[in-house]
Amino acid sequence: GTKVFALTGHIKNTGLVEVPMGTKLDELIYEIGGGIPDGKKLKAVQTGGPSGGCIPKHLLDLELDYDSLKKVGSIMGSGGMIVIDESSNMVEIARFFMDFSKSESCGKCTPCRVGTTQLTDLLDKFIKKEASKEDYTLLKEMCEMVKDSSLCGLGQSAPNPVLSTIQYFEEEYLAGIKGETQN
């Protein structure tokens, strides 16, 4: 079958695109989407809407289907596809999506209601370069706790942007730890 994606972000041709399942991500970005404007380079693609994951440029050969996206820490979700160029900070991207999930939480279960708030606050510390090594450990543990113990799909998938950016862009989190220097 086919899938409709809402292609947006740092891409020349935005809009709704319908492609056959199994279409390669790089084909969608460069052939259909026209590539990245202003001579910048691709950094990542966030798929699946606010609860999706961020896929780094080295995985552009990925075929777009449910299983392939799941293997790299993302989801098909609502078909959202945000192209992110090299000028973006991935911790800020994760924080943006976590803030959305926090605001959408119904508040029924504590893991989602409190967990998304605490995750947002932790991400703020990394952005301000005020985080500690303990905060980094706590961030990962809290993501797993919210994912494993929330009652609905929103809470269970809210940590996906954080977990995928930690997996593929860990250096940007480490740069937010006080006293850490990056080579």
Side-chain angles (χ1 to χ4, degrees):
T2 62
K3 175 67 178 165
V4 175
F5 290 98
L7 187 60
T8 189
H10 302 127
I11 189 95
K12 289 180 183 173
N13 304 321
T14 63
L16 296 176
V17 295
E18 183 175 7
V19 296
M21 292 292 273
T23 298
K24 299 241 179 173
L25 187 54
D26 62 350
E27 180 182 341
L28 189 57
I29 301 299
Y30 291 103
E31 293 177 29
I32 297 169
I36 315 307
D38 303 323
K40 292 188 177 172
K41 295 181 179 164
L42 177 74
K43 186 172 195 174
V45 179
Q46 198 269 354
T47 67
S51 296
C54 295
I55 303 166
K57 67 180 178 182
H58 75 270
L59 294 176
L60 279 184
D61 198 32
L62 182 76
E63 292 183 359
L64 293 168
D65 60 56
Y66 292 94
D67 291 335
S68 296
L69 288 170
K70 186 176 182 180
K71 285 179 188 173
V72 298
S74 195
I75 59 174
M76 188 78 69
S78 60
M81 184 172 289
I82 302 172
V83 179
I84 303 165
D85 75 19
E86 63 190 341
S87 68
S88 299
N89 178 301
M90 298 308 290
V91 180
E92 291 175 6
I93 298 284
R95 197 250 184 243
F96 174 82
F97 290 117
M98 184 55 63
D99 189 54
F100 176 84
S101 293
K102 177 182 84 171
S103 70
E104 291 297 308
S105 175
C106 73
K108 183 176 181 180
C109 73
T110 303
C112 183
R113 181 183 68 248
V114 176
T116 56
T117 299
Q118 290 180 339
L119 285 169
T120 302
D121 293 345
L122 276 170
L123 291 167
D124 283 338
K125 289 176 79 173
F126 284 91
I127 291 166
K128 294 175 185 174
K129 300 190 182 319
E130 297 173 353
S132 66
K133 290 178 183 178
E134 292 77 18
D135 289 328
Y136 184 64
T137 301
L138 180 61
L139 181 70
K140 294 188 288 185
E141 289 173 355
M142 288 211 46
C143 281
E144 293 301 331
M145 182 278 301
V146 170
K147 191 175 184 79
D148 293 342
S149 56
S150 291
L151 296 177
C152 78
L154 180 109
Q156 293 164 1
S157 61
N160 286 346
V162 180
L163 291 169
S164 65
T165 54
I166 287 172
Q167 179 180 359
Y168 298 116
F169 303 97
E170 181 182 42
E171 70 280 359
E172 294 188 32
Y173 285 88
L174 297 178
I177 296 175
K178 289 183 289 191
E180 292 293 305
T181 57
Q182 296 297 307
N183 298 338

